[in-house]
């Protein structure tokens, strides 16, 4: 009777590769699976003389993504939200945040307008992926434009800058 332990060069090698493939599939699915976005915190500050902008809101999504300076715009009986934008020297506006799903849009609007966080929230983690990576060729401090998608439901735009102490976001 042969009692040798299997080695990497023996027949169970196929089983090892299959097991590795299953593990990789599990972790890849867990990291990139889409999940809902919920507002876990909401704060509003009234604006006294802001014209149609009546309040500025700050929200936290899934206990990990903070979005500041969301304008609550009221015109007549209609209320809309304006997400933060970057205004260039030429007065061009570039979005800093956007929703990608109806679920995210509805949750954010409901939370801000009611001034209450989402009723339901299951902390299954928040996945992310870089959806755009655009290196710049200008001589400015800004070197790369990046957009990051969270749970395939919201997108955050940012820039990578070159500073004295190295790169920063």
């Amino acid at each position: 009777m042969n009692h040798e332990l299997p080695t990497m060069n023996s027949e169970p090698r196929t089983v090892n590769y299959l097991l590795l493939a299953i593990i990789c599939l599990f972790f890849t699915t867990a990291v990139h699976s889409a999940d809902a976005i919920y507002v876990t915190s909401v704060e509003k500050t009234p604006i006294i003389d802001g014209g149609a902008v009546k309040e500025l809101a700050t929200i936290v999504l899934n206990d990990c993504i903070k979005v500041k300076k969301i304008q609550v715009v009221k015109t007549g009986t209609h209320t809309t939200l304006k997400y933060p934008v970057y205004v260039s020297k030429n007065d061009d506006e570039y979005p800093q945040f956007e929703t990608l799903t109806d679920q995210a849009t509805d949750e954010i609007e409901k939370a801000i307008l009611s001034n209450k966080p989402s009723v339901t929230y299951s902390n299954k983690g928040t996945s992310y992926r870089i959806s755009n990576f655009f290196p710049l060729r200008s001589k400015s401090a800004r070197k790369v434009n990046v957009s990051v998608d969270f749970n395939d439901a919201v997108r955050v735009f940012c820039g990578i800058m070159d500073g004295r102490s190295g790169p920063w976001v």
Side-chain angles (χ1 to χ4, degrees), residues 9-152:
N9 295 329
S10 63
E11 191 173 327
R13 186 175 191 178
T14 305
V15 175
N16 289 340
Y17 283 127
L18 182 60
L19 184 59
L20 181 63
I22 291 170
I23 290 171
C24 288
L25 179 65
F26 172 76
F27 282 112
T28 303
T29 303
V31 170
H32 295 291
S33 65
D35 196 10
I37 287 290
Y38 296 100
V39 178
T40 52
S41 172
V42 59
E43 297 175 19
K44 293 196 308 190
T45 305
I47 304 296
I48 303 300
D49 192 22
V53 178
K54 301 300 181 189
E55 298 169 308
L56 286 180
T58 298
I59 58 173
V60 176
L61 304 173
N62 290 21
D63 283 331
C64 66
I65 306 160
K66 190 175 215 176
V67 183
K68 298 179 177 182
K69 298 183 181 177
I70 301 171
Q71 297 178 3
V72 180
V73 181
K74 293 183 182 178
T75 52
T77 60
H78 192 63
T79 302
T80 57
L81 302 179
K82 184 177 180 197
Y83 295 114
V85 296
Y86 166 75
V87 181
S88 71
K89 294 176 187 175
N90 299 332
D91 288 330
D92 295 327
E93 291 188 358
Y94 299 96
Q96 299 297 292
F97 176 86
E98 70 181 7
T99 58
L100 303 175
T101 65
D102 291 339
Q103 183 274 335
T105 302
D106 293 343
E107 285 292 325
I108 292 169
E109 285 179 0
K110 187 174 14 170
I112 290 175
L113 297 180
S114 70
N115 202 24
K116 294 179 183 174
S118 300
V119 176
T120 57
Y121 171 60
S122 60
N123 188 359
K124 295 180 183 176
T126 302
S127 66
Y128 68 91
R129 68 180 177 89
I130 296 173
S131 55
N132 186 18
F133 186 86
F134 185 74
L136 303 172
R137 296 180 187 203
S138 68
K139 294 184 181 191
S140 71
R142 189 176 188 125
K143 300 301 179 191
V144 179
N145 286 334
V146 179
S147 59
V148 182
D149 295 354
F150 294 92
N151 283 5
D152 293 327

